[in-house]
Every structure is written in C-alpha cells, then in structure tokens.
C-alpha cells in the first residue's frame, strides 16, 4: 500500500483533522499558507502546526508547498536572498521531522481553471479548464493581442465575446486571477499585466537556467538534511499567456533530474496535471522515472477532445482519460523494487487530489476541488484498487 495522505489547509479548513482521520488517511499534506514567499518559515509556527496534526493522531508527511518566489523564477536582484530563506525553511522543517517538500516552478500563476462549479452529468460540481474561455479572457478581457491560439480557438472566443456580460467577465477574471487553493498570490488585472511584463522576452531555456540555479543551491542543502524535494508539474501542462512552462512532460522531468542528480531531487507525480496532455505516457513515466517519485497526486481528468487539446474537466478518480489502475499498479511495482533494494523511503505518500462536490460538500463551503466527501470517495476507490492489486 502507498501511504495514504490528505491535503489540509490548516485550522480554518472546513475539513477537520478528525474528518481526515475518519476518512482513513494516515498523514497530512499542508503548509504555512500565510508566510510570504522569500521569508523563512517561523520555527514556532512550524511547531504549532505539527503539534495540531500530532494531536489529531496523524503525521505531517509532506509540505505542499514551500513556495518558490517570483524573484527566484525570474532571477531578480533578490533571488539569492530568497533562495537562502528557502534553505532556512528546509532546515527548520528538517528539525521538526518533516522530510518531503513539494514545490512548483510555474511562472506567475499556480494551477489554473476557468470554471470552479462545472455541473457533471450526475449533478455534482467539478473543476474545468475550457481553452476557449481562457482565450476569451486573454484576448477580450486582459487585452493581450499577441497570442498563440489557433484560428479555430480565436474564432470561438470571439463568438463568445459577443454575448459576454459584465458579470461573466468578472467571474472569469476572479476564477483565473484570484488564486486557487495553495496558490501563493492573487492578482488584479493591472498587477497581473505588470507581472507578465517581468517575463517579457523570457523563453523556456532562460527559465530552465533559473531552475538549474535554484536547484544547485537547494538540492545539496536538502540532501545534507535528509530531505526529499519533489517538483509539481505545470497545471495545465502547457504555456499560458505566452509564459514559458518547463515541467509539463516526461522529457522535462528527465531534464530536471539531470540538472542536479541526487536522492533529494525528485518528482511530485500528479496524474491529473500530466494527464491533461494526450502525449504523456503516465504508466510508462512511472516505469522510467519511478525511482525519483517522492510524492503522488492521484486524480483523473477527462480530456474532452484530443483533436483540439486544451479543454478538460476533473473526472472521478477511476474514470476519465487516465488508466488509474495501471498507474497505481506501476507505483506499487516501484515500491516493491525499493523495498527489495533496501530503500528506507520505499513507501510513496499519495493523496486523492481534487474531487467532485456533492451531497453535504456544498453546504460545507470547502475550497474548490477539495471537498470532504468527494475526496473520501476517491481515497476509498484508490484504496480498493491497491488492495485488489495486492491480491
């Protein structure tokens, strides 16, 4: 069995530690969400959060996320001081006994959707990314004219713009820019335009060089502390607003590992983020890069039209475009190989990422994508798959 964990957004989360324990999770995935990027995490806040988790008969298994600041991603003048602050946070987390740290290297925006309450055929609500709606926002609300959409997408966006109401424009803006759970920052249209300007002229190779510079400093520190760092994939795994994205494919992850070869430099394997691309072989990726997977997000998406990639919605955990049983089987094979090799970190922490909002979830006011019952259902299904495969 993989280690079953659950994302918790702290004491203000409507899903309590007691709920998490009753759902069958063993560990918690969380962070200090109120500490600004570039600032070391305070020792007392780490200790307080860990004590709450311990008191709930759970363990703090993974930090998600320790944010990488925009200064680091752009190699601004204060990048070095922000990297040193990041290392200081690693030292304090290691002292507290937390060993796995997830981060991402997505410029400006964290994970992005265009609809937080898309109605599924069952009447439940799910997250959705609609490429035409995104192009509508980009061209007709944000006002960018230099874009990379196909003519078909631009034409469809223009047709929707004809009937665009002020309320719909505000809703789309809030959904894309206000920040989703775990996101570090939220933006106004003006501040977002200014942030995009900071990336003017930056291509993927420049962003990779900045990632390499970051890894060259933090990976040796993490290895010395006995920590495991794991980079989360881009979500969605392609360029948005013309910004470079460099953790979207298996080749990107192979390049990440090659930048700083170390047991501390690894992967957050998110089957939903990577699965939004039709050209990513998730089962094969586990087989080829599995030794570097330190953490797994198990969720599924339905790609709505592979002939026009870019629109998808969150599916139930065992349905959708990804063969979840094959993915879980490959991860369990990787665990067995680690056990045979005597690796102390043989067990991969996983969490049921995202879920449909239904039943009591709607009155609970949980964060988009993070309901209690929707994730409990997903965890139960994944647990059943693991038990069946073990037989």
């Amino acid at each position: 069995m993989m280690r079953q964990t659950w994302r918790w957004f702290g004491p203000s989360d409507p899903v309590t530690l007691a709920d998490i324990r009753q759902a069958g999770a063993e560990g918690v995935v969380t962070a200090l969400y109120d500490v600004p990027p570039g600032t070391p995490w305070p020792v007392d806040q780490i200790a307080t959060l860990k004590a709450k988790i311990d008191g709930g008969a759970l363990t703090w298994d993974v930090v998600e996320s320790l944010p990488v600041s925009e200064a680091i991603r752009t190699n601004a003048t204060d990048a070095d001081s922000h990297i040193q602050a990041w290392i200081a946070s690693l030292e304090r987390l290691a002292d507290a006994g937390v060993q796995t740290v997830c981060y991402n290297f997505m410029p400006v925006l964290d994970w992005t959707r265009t609809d937080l309450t898309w109605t599924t055929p069952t009447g439940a609500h799910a997250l959705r990314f609609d490429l035409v709606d995104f192009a509508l926002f980009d061209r007709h609300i944000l006002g960018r004219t230099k874009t990379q959409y196909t003519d078909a997408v631009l034409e469809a966006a223009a047709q929707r713009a004809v009937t665009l109401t002020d309320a719909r424009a505000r809703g789309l803006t809030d959904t894309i820019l206000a920040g989703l759970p775990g996101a570090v920052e939220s933006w106004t249209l003006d501040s977002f335009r200014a942030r995009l300007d900071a990336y003017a002229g930056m291509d993927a190779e420049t962003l990779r060089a900045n990632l390499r510079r970051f890894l060259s400093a933090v990976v040796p520190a993490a290895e010395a502390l006995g920590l495991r760092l794991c980079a989360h994939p881009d979500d969605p795994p392609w360029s948005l607003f013309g910004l470079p994205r460099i953790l979207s494919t298996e080749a990107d992850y192979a390049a990440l590992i090659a930048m700083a070869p170390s047991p501390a430099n690894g992967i957050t394997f998110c089957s939903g983020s990577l699965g939004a691309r039709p050209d990513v072989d998730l089962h094969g990726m586990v087989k080829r890069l599995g030794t570097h997977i330190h953490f797994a997000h198990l969720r599924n998406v339905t790609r709505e039209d592979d002939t026009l990639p870019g629109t998808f919605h969150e599916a139930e955990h065992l349905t959708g475009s990804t063969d979840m049983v094959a993915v879980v089987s490959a991860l369990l094979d990787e665990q067995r190989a680690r056990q045979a090799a005597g690796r102390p970190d043989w067990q991969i922490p996983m969490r049921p990422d995202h879920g449909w909002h239904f039943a009591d979830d709607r009155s609970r006011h949980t964060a988009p994508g993070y309901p209690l019952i929707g994730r409990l259902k997903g965890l139960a299904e994944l647990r059943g798959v693991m038990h069946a495969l073990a037989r």
Side-chain angles (χ1 to χ4, degrees):
M1 297 285 283
M2 285 181 278
R3 185 162 178 83
Q4 298 164 61
T5 67
W6 188 283
R7 192 169 197 181
W8 182 56
F9 293 100
S12 63
D13 194 330
V15 180
T16 67
L17 292 171
D19 293 332
I20 294 169
R21 180 67 173 162
Q22 292 167 33
E26 304 160 292
V28 166
V29 176
T30 192
L32 298 182
Y33 296 102
D34 58 343
V35 179
T39 303
W41 283 9
V43 173
D44 59 337
Q45 290 189 41
I46 293 173
T48 297
L49 188 59
K50 186 173 185 299
K52 287 182 183 297
I53 295 167
D54 291 345
L58 294 158
T59 55
W60 187 357
D61 287 12
V62 181
V63 168
E64 185 179 357
S65 294
L66 181 57
V68 176
S69 70
E70 286 294 293
I72 293 172
R73 285 192 282 256
T74 59
N75 194 32
T77 54
D78 48 354
D80 288 343
S81 66
H82 283 207
I83 289 173
Q84 291 308 308
W86 213 83
I87 292 172
S89 295
L90 293 183
E91 293 168 347
R92 296 170 185 186
L93 288 165
D95 287 343
V98 184
Q99 295 183 314
T100 305
V101 177
C102 172
Y103 68 96
N104 76 69
F105 218 75
M106 290 181 260
V108 185
L109 288 177
D110 205 300
W111 63 290
T112 305
R113 298 292 184 269
T114 58
D115 193 340
L116 306 183
T117 56
W118 182 73
T119 302
T120 70
T122 69
H125 287 166
L127 303 174
R128 186 169 183 263
F129 182 91
D130 184 316
L131 183 62
V132 174
D133 274 351
F134 191 84
L136 166 65
F137 171 79
D138 194 3
R139 290 294 293 265
H140 300 278
I141 299 175
L142 187 62
R144 284 199 329 122
T145 56
K146 186 178 180 181
T147 56
Q148 298 173 316
Y149 307 103
T150 65
D151 290 343
V153 170
L154 289 174
E155 175 60 27
Q159 290 177 4
R160 290 185 190 180
V162 172
T163 57
L164 182 67
T165 64
D166 289 344
R168 174 62 178 147
R170 285 194 302 271
L172 198 54
T173 299
D174 288 345
T175 298
I176 293 173
L177 298 189
L180 287 163
V184 174
E185 297 173 88
S186 61
W187 310 89
T188 65
L189 284 172
D190 287 340
S191 66
F192 185 70
R193 292 185 186 101
R195 177 45 59 185
L196 290 180
D197 288 344
Y199 282 86
M202 182 182 291
D203 58 13
E205 287 310 308
T206 302
L207 186 61
R208 281 195 185 91
N210 294 344
L211 174 60
R212 185 179 297 108
R213 186 177 297 108
F214 170 70
L215 292 175
S216 68
V218 303
V219 169
E223 184 173 350
L225 293 166
L227 300 181
R228 295 178 290 275
L229 307 181
C230 41
H232 189 283
D234 303 322
D235 188 3
W238 51 73
S239 174
L240 300 178
F241 301 112
L243 296 166
R245 286 196 156 187
I246 57 173
L247 291 174
S248 296
T249 66
E250 182 179 335
D252 288 341
Y253 272 103
L256 169 89
I257 300 304
M259 286 179 190
S262 164
N265 181 26
I267 298 168
T268 297
F269 180 79
C270 181
S271 58
S273 298
L274 294 166
R277 292 181 66 112
D279 58 349
V280 174
D281 171 17
L282 291 171
H283 176 266
M285 182 176 173
V286 175
K287 294 290 186 183
R288 290 181 287 271
L289 297 180
T291 57
H292 306 287
I293 293 174
H294 296 326
F295 181 32
H297 291 177
L298 298 183
R299 65 181 177 90
N300 218 326
V301 299
T302 295
R303 298 187 300 269
E304 296 183 17
D305 185 354
D306 279 352
T307 64
L308 185 65
T311 295
F312 62 89
H313 63 265
E314 304 285 345
E316 294 177 290
H317 286 76
L318 300 187
T319 63
S321 300
T322 294
D323 184 346
M324 187 61 72
V325 175
V327 168
V328 172
S329 179
L331 289 166
L332 292 177
D333 286 345
E334 170 59 28
Q335 285 197 158
R336 283 189 284 270
R338 294 182 185 190
Q339 281 184 293
R343 279 181 57 168
D345 63 338
W346 65 268
Q347 191 175 37
I348 300 170
M350 57 74 73
R351 66 175 178 85
D353 198 11
H354 298 178
W356 285 3
H357 288 247
F358 62 93
D360 289 351
D361 282 332
R362 294 185 178 182
S363 60
R364 217 176 276 271
H365 303 296
T366 53
Y370 290 95
L372 170 59
I373 300 172
R375 283 185 292 165
L376 184 154
K377 177 176 179 286
L379 182 58
E381 291 173 342
L382 293 166
R383 186 187 299 125
V385 169
M386 288 189 284
H387 275 295
L389 289 170
R391 295 287 292 270

